[in-house]
Amino acid sequence: MANMVKTPDELMKILKAATMGDMCFTHILQFIEPGMTEKMVADEIEKTLLGYGAEGLSFPTICVSGVNTTQPHGEPSDKVIEDGDFVTMDFGAVVDGYCGDMTRTIGIGHLSEEQIKVYDIVLHSQMAGLAACKAGVRCSDVDAASRDIIKEAGYGNYYIHGTGHGVGTEVHEAPTLNPKSEEVLEEYMPVTVEPGIYIPDKFGVRIEDLAIITEFGIINAVKSQKSLIII
């Protein structure tokens, strides 16, 4: 099993992969427009990461829109991206054998009050999860920090996965940040924090960063904007 605590050299590779992800997201914000299909955007993400020098992808790129955002691991389809859609993109580059992983959800055109409200709840949940991360903290407590905000807002039943996981040469490694985890965070563990709300037949929102655990909190490897972007 991979070592959960990474060396400085390993962390540099993960940071580099995360930087490629940020650069790619910046590009996609200029690229994406209504009328494109999910597959077209996913293909552009992959082409862009490889163009930056990634040796591969951490996992098959997720780009889902509209009602498809209710599927946390939905696959890009021929669905056309439309005004009023959320678009969720989850992707990562591999650099020197190490994975990046990030997710952003953006709005297209005009969003409803409910969409904006749910986005705001997920963002607060994600920030609370990141704030809870620190060496010595139980993974289950990080999950609770994120989950409690979503529960208190009345959307607890729509948070249908764990809050995060370790990252290294595999995109999913130990530790696991979920309610049942008995693992404890240690300095120099890279972990994701990625809460989401998925409302059946409507829409979903997920926001994910890759955090490097320290004694004082985290170094967030992902710098891309998280306040709601509507294009």
Side-chain angles (χ1 to χ4, degrees), residues 79-97:
K79 182 198 167 301
V80 171
I81 294 166
E82 300 168 85
D83 186 73
D85 278 353
F86 270 136
V87 178
T88 297
M89 295 167 280
D90 186 350
F91 55 92
V94 178
V95 173
D96 295 332

Side-chain angles (χ1 to χ4, degrees), residues 20-30 48-49 52 89 91 102-106 224-225 229:
M20 279 187 192
D22 280 332
M23 290 165 58
C24 180
F25 181 64
T26 300
H27 167 69
I28 289 299
L29 290 176
Q30 304 298 317
T48 302
L49 291 173
Y52 290 150
M89 295 167 280
F91 55 92
M102 66 177 282
T103 304
R104 288 293 183 270
T105 300
I106 65 169
S224 293
Q225 179 177 327
I229 296 168

Side-chain angles (χ1 to χ4, degrees), residues 80-159:
V80 171
I81 294 166
E82 300 168 85
D83 186 73
D85 278 353
F86 270 136
V87 178
T88 297
M89 295 167 280
D90 186 350
F91 55 92
V94 178
V95 173
D96 295 332
Y98 286 81
C99 296
D101 191 4
M102 66 177 282
T103 304
R104 288 293 183 270
T105 300
I106 65 169
I108 304 294
H110 301 82
L111 296 181
S112 68
E113 280 181 30
E114 185 186 23
Q115 284 174 304
I116 293 166
K117 175 183 154 191
V118 169
Y119 187 93
D120 197 47
I121 293 163
V122 174
L123 180 57
H124 277 95
S125 164
Q126 204 258 352
M127 303 283 276
L130 289 171
C133 287
K134 190 177 171 182
V137 173
R138 293 185 308 183
C139 292
S140 58
D141 288 342
V142 176
D143 180 272
S146 276
R147 199 170 295 276
D148 286 352
I149 285 177
I150 290 175
K151 273 186 189 163
E152 283 159 20
Y155 290 90
N157 290 341
Y158 304 125
Y159 186 2

